[in-house]
Amino acid sequence: MSNVAELNRTYGIAGQIRFLKGPGDMAVVEIENDLGCASMTLQGAHLVGFQAVGEQPLIWMSDEAVFAPGKSLRGGVPICWPWFGPHATDPGLPGHGPARTVGWKPVASSALEDGRTTISFEMIDTDATRKQCAHPLRVQLHVTVGRTLQMVLETTNLGSTPFILGDALHTYFLVGDVRQAQVEGLDGCDYLDKVAGGSHTQHGAVTIASEVDRIYLGTGNSCAISDPVMGRRILIHSEGSASTIVWNPWIEKTLRMGDLGPDGYLKMLCVETANAADDVVELAAGATHRLAVEYSSEPL
Ligand code: TA6
């Protein structure tokens, strides 16, 4: 099912879910209700925006993001699956896995009685995806839009042997000025520092005054971003996640990457809900793993 008219006939909901052609002529879905709104591309089931009614946008999207087939989008919520970061053994495979740059299809949608709207997607299995991961897996993303944003990444092992799964919702949050923001809730956690190298222990809140790229291990199920410039705290509640990645590219890496815009790094902070590094999941044959997250904000 590829064309917009057919998608709207099957999964559209009047006044709540609408499929259309977006930037780069890519299929997008707009989700809206009296509580909040979101938009996603079908490529990568990539959420590119979320805002609760009466609140500021929660998610940052680069003005320089390139909307093109097979290209990863800078910003929003890229899905890293079925590995996080570089592939464990094959450096020729794409960082963060294929999921964020291949086609996904809607598989369900509904208007909930409490006013929220939910839509589910499944990654389309092709020769190209099987070339990157031959093990038979099914992956679905369930998104529920209301005053909060709920996302559940569900992986089922369709094979007859266990699979080592790495995954992440690689979320770019909008902040007023990253230099004044802090990540709370990781105090005492050990982390792998991908900038300085080595393993360290976090003391107090995480602050950003240079490039930060850390995989916190064995993290709990909640953390937050305090943002005095926007006057809010973004709350991040998770289930099925043992790792939290905190990333800001800062000045030099932003210039090297080229798709954040010259000062993009000041307005974004990635706090990623994941299972990465030592926290990867051994998924038994026939088993399903749920990586779930809920985002909301409160006045600071
Ligand atoms: O999650 C942090 C990270 O692994 C960084 O090392 C940086 O590479 C970032 O992801 C973005 O990766 P991408 O492949 O989207 O450029």
Side-chain angles (χ1 to χ4, degrees):
M1 183 182 300
S2 56
N3 72 49
V4 162
E6 211 175 326
L7 290 169
N8 280 314
R9 268 196 302 278
T10 311
Y11 297 105
I13 297 177
Q16 293 199 39
I17 293 181
R18 184 168 68 99
F19 295 84
L20 61 152
K21 285 288 188 182
D25 211 25
M26 291 171 70
V28 299
V29 57
E30 300 286 345
I31 303 146
E32 186 166 5
N33 54 45
D34 294 339
L35 303 171
C37 62
S39 46
M40 302 178 68
T41 63
L42 264 63
Q43 176 175 285
H46 193 129
L47 187 131
V48 294
F50 168 72
Q51 186 167 7
V53 168
E55 294 188 5
Q56 300 265 24
L58 209 58
I59 300 294
W60 177 86
M61 200 61 211
S62 171
D63 295 337
E64 319 278 328
V66 176
F67 288 78
K71 177 87 180 90
S72 60
L73 285 173
R74 186 66 60 208
V77 185
I79 294 173
C80 304
W81 183 93
W83 63 83
F84 177 85
H87 186 271
T89 55
D90 182 349
L93 290 173
H96 294 327
R100 60 178 173 162
T101 56
V102 299
W104 291 59
K105 61 186 178 185
V107 292
S109 64
S110 62
L112 301 180
E113 286 187 9
D114 62 7
R116 296 180 303 162
T117 310
T118 183
I119 187 167
S120 296
F121 300 87
E122 183 168 312
M123 191 183 87
I124 300 169
D125 221 1
T126 64
D127 291 346
T129 58
R130 281 188 289 270
K131 261 204 201 104
Q132 298 199 32
C133 177
H135 193 105
L137 300 167
R138 179 178 59 235
V139 60
Q140 293 188 338
L141 179 74
H142 309 287
V143 179
T144 304
V145 174
R147 289 209 58 71
T148 70
L149 173 64
Q150 288 180 351
M151 302 181 86
V152 180
L153 187 65
E154 218 167 54
T155 303
T156 301
N157 182 353
L158 303 175
S160 55
T161 55
F163 179 78
I164 302 299
L165 171 68
D167 55 4
L169 294 170
H170 188 300
T171 306
Y172 290 72
F173 291 98
L174 172 67
V175 294
D177 179 343
V178 76
R179 296 167 298 192
Q180 300 183 52
Q182 295 195 342
V183 180
E184 302 162 346
L186 297 173
D187 183 26
C189 292
D190 292 338
Y191 64 89
L192 305 176
D193 189 327
K194 290 170 56 182
V195 178
S199 173
H200 309 264
T201 302
Q202 181 63 37
H203 298 292
V206 183
T207 55
I208 312 291
S210 62
E211 181 183 353
V212 170
D213 193 349
R214 300 175 185 176
I215 302 176
Y216 288 84
L217 299 168
T219 50
N221 59 9
S222 65
C223 62
I225 299 173
S226 67
D227 180 349
V229 173
M230 292 185 76
R232 70 177 179 188
R233 174 174 281 108
I234 296 174
L235 306 174
I236 301 165
H237 291 288
S238 62
E239 283 173 18
S241 159
S243 320
T244 301
I245 290 95
V246 177
W247 177 59
N248 184 283
W250 205 245
I251 302 166
E252 287 75 26
K253 188 158 187 179
T254 291
L255 296 174
R256 288 200 305 272
M257 296 179 87
D259 59 358
L260 278 103
D263 297 331
Y265 73 97
L266 286 172
K267 305 295 281 186
M268 55 71 68
L269 180 55
C270 280
V271 178
E272 306 158 30
T273 301
N275 292 290
D278 308 351
D279 289 336
V280 290
V281 174
E282 179 168 311
L283 193 56
T288 293
H289 177 76
R290 288 176 82 253
L291 175 67
V293 74
E294 181 169 35
Y295 301 136
S296 59
S297 75
E298 63 184 20
L300 196 55

